[in-house]
Amino acid sequence: MIEKYFTRLPYKKKWVIFAFIVWNLLFIPAFIDFFKTIENEVNITSKIIYPLIFAITSCLLLIFSKNIREMVLKEGKAFKDIRKDCFLVLGVSFLILFMHFGIN
């Protein structure tokens, strides 16, 4: 089942796994603070900035660096295959960042 999913992706499997692991590791401080102060009001928005910066940086590298794209994408895949993914992630990440800085 999971192999079928990876065969349809334009990304190489090792890079998907790498990005997933890094993304989740960057959320660990937010989860620790959340569960440590579950009774009190907690502001975890400052802790989610790091995963957002990782997502934004990754997308910008994929958009602007041909060498990075060649490393991450499967043979025969091009930027047009991931363009929607990159701009969706960038849009959502910037929206969350703007909401965070607008609230504080």
Side-chain angles (χ1 to χ4, degrees), residues 52-75:
L52 291 175
I53 290 172
F54 171 72
I56 291 169
T57 305
S58 300
C59 287
L60 290 176
L61 284 172
L62 285 171
I63 290 170
F64 293 114
S65 175
K66 187 177 180 183
N67 293 335
I68 299 291
R69 261 188 305 223
E70 289 174 355
M71 275 193 319
V72 173
L73 295 179
K74 291 179 181 174
E75 292 294 323

Side-chain angles (χ1 to χ4, degrees), residues 13-86:
K13 185 164 112 174
K14 67 180 177 181
W15 292 105
V16 172
I17 293 170
F18 171 76
F20 179 78
I21 290 171
V22 170
W23 172 261
N24 286 303
L25 287 174
L26 290 171
F27 271 110
I28 289 176
F31 286 124
I32 290 172
D33 280 355
F34 178 75
F35 289 113
K36 199 186 313 184
T37 59
I38 195 90
E39 299 85 23
N40 302 333
E41 185 178 329
V42 61
N43 183 10
I44 64 167
T45 57
S46 62
K47 303 288 186 199
I48 65 168
I49 288 177
Y50 301 114
L52 291 175
I53 290 172
F54 171 72
I56 291 169
T57 305
S58 300
C59 287
L60 290 176
L61 284 172
L62 285 171
I63 290 170
F64 293 114
S65 175
K66 187 177 180 183
N67 293 335
I68 299 291
R69 261 188 305 223
E70 289 174 355
M71 275 193 319
V72 173
L73 295 179
K74 291 179 181 174
E75 292 294 323
K77 299 296 181 179
F79 177 67
K80 65 181 174 93
D81 299 317
I82 63 166
R83 179 179 44 223
K84 290 180 184 177
D85 297 341
C86 287

